[in-house]
């Protein structure tokens, strides 16, 4: 999908939109759009795929929604899974399945019924996650309620590899957080067994602590 986005962007100055196509009928109807600007309201019972430089998709998608672009914005209700990749990604809405976000800078405020996997240079995560959370980033702000366990690892900031995590939400089943700097804010609520690995112990209670001691979070 990313390869198609690059090819489409290269020809978009000559063509306003590379492609817009509808396939299937009835409950199987799906759409695909690619171009310099691939943005529209959508109401489709099947899958939807948008790629380009500037991508936007609002509305209802009964199946999976895939978004890829330099700038991605979406407020959608997704009946399947969500995959969003871009330099800047902003998603709000609801996803019945799993979510995968790959972004330079990201903001997510959504009800996610499945698991979430996030990789970003900088990310703010709001809303609620019904499953597990796996997150990897340079600077991460976690405000969401996470029903499942978390695996959060920092990279690429301060010491060059281990990042920063600010926890402001609820972690209902604990898990692991590893970063150069970890802050457990007063608004945070910790359930289950949480292990924090960082250069200094965060303020607060309700978690176990282990010194990072020069290690790389990617290998923990």
């Amino acid at each position: 999908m990313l390869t198609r986005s690059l090819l489409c962007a290269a020809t978009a100055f000559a063509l306003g939109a590379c492609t817009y196509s509808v396939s299937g009928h009835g409950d199987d109807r799906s759409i695909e759009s690619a171009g310099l600007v691939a943005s529209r309201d959508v109401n489709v019972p099947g899958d939807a795929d948008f790629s380009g430089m500037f991508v936007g998709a609002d509305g209802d998608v009964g199946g999976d929604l895939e978004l890829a672009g330099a700038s991605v914005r979406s407020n959608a209700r997704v009946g399947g899974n969500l995959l969003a990749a871009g330099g800047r990604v902003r998603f709000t809405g609801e996803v019945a399945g799993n979510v995968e976000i790959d972004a330079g800078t990201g903001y997510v405020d959504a009800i996610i019924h499945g698991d979430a996997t996030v990789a970003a240079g900088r990310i703010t995560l709001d809303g609620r996650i019904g499953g597990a959370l796996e997150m990897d980033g340079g600077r991460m702000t976690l405000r969401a309620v996470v029903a499942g366990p978390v695996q959060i690892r920092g990279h690429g900031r301060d010491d060059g590899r281990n990042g920063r995590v600010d926890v402001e939400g609820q972690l209902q089943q604990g898990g692991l957080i590893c970063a150069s700097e970890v802050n457990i804010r007063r608004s945070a609520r910790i359930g289950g067994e949480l292990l924090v690995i960082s250069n200094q112990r965060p303020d607060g209670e309700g978690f176990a602590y282990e010194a990072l001691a020069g290690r790389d979070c990617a290998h923990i």
Side-chain angles (χ1 to χ4, degrees):
M1 183 173 62
L2 290 175
T3 300
R4 184 172 64 251
S5 298
L6 293 173
L7 290 173
C8 197
T11 59
F13 293 102
L15 297 174
C18 291
T19 62
Y20 175 73
S21 61
V22 179
S23 60
H25 301 280
D27 291 342
D28 294 326
R29 183 166 55 89
S30 298
I31 63 171
E32 181 175 348
S33 181
L36 178 63
V37 179
S39 179
R40 66 179 58 236
D41 292 334
V42 59
N43 187 349
V44 62
D47 300 335
D49 187 337
F50 290 77
S51 58
M53 291 294 292
F54 303 99
V55 172
D58 297 341
D60 293 279
V61 177
D64 297 338
L65 174 61
E66 297 190 14
L67 307 166
S71 176
V72 173
R73 296 176 65 90
S74 177
N75 180 7
R77 291 169 295 277
V78 181
N81 301 319
L82 169 69
L83 172 61
R88 297 180 66 87
V89 174
R90 179 183 179 89
F91 179 83
T92 57
E94 184 170 359
V95 180
N98 300 323
V99 168
E100 183 175 343
I101 304 289
D102 189 351
T105 301
Y107 175 74
V108 177
D109 185 1
I111 305 300
I112 299 167
H113 294 275
D115 299 332
T117 302
V118 179
R122 186 183 185 109
I123 183 77
T124 297
L125 188 60
D126 274 306
R128 180 177 179 84
I129 299 171
L133 169 64
E134 182 177 342
M135 187 158 62
D136 181 15
R139 180 159 183 173
M140 296 165 280
T141 300
L142 179 56
R143 299 174 182 161
V145 176
V146 185
V150 304
Q151 294 285 324
I152 300 174
R153 291 177 170 84
H155 70 83
R157 186 180 179 274
D158 296 334
D159 65 357
R161 64 177 185 270
N162 286 318
R164 169 177 168 173
V165 180
D166 294 323
V167 180
E168 303 176 11
Q170 299 181 33
L171 309 184
Q172 296 182 343
Q173 290 192 35
L176 169 71
I177 300 176
C178 179
S180 294
E181 180 181 350
V182 178
N183 299 302
I184 309 293
R185 304 301 186 186
R186 291 184 179 180
S187 60
R189 299 292 181 267
I190 308 299
E193 297 182 359
L194 176 67
L195 174 61
V196 175
I197 303 175
S198 60
N199 289 336
Q200 294 184 336
R201 189 187 190 283
D203 294 335
E205 302 296 335
F207 57 88
Y209 170 72
E210 183 179 310
L212 185 56
R215 292 176 291 172
D216 191 333
C217 288
H219 299 143
I220 293 176

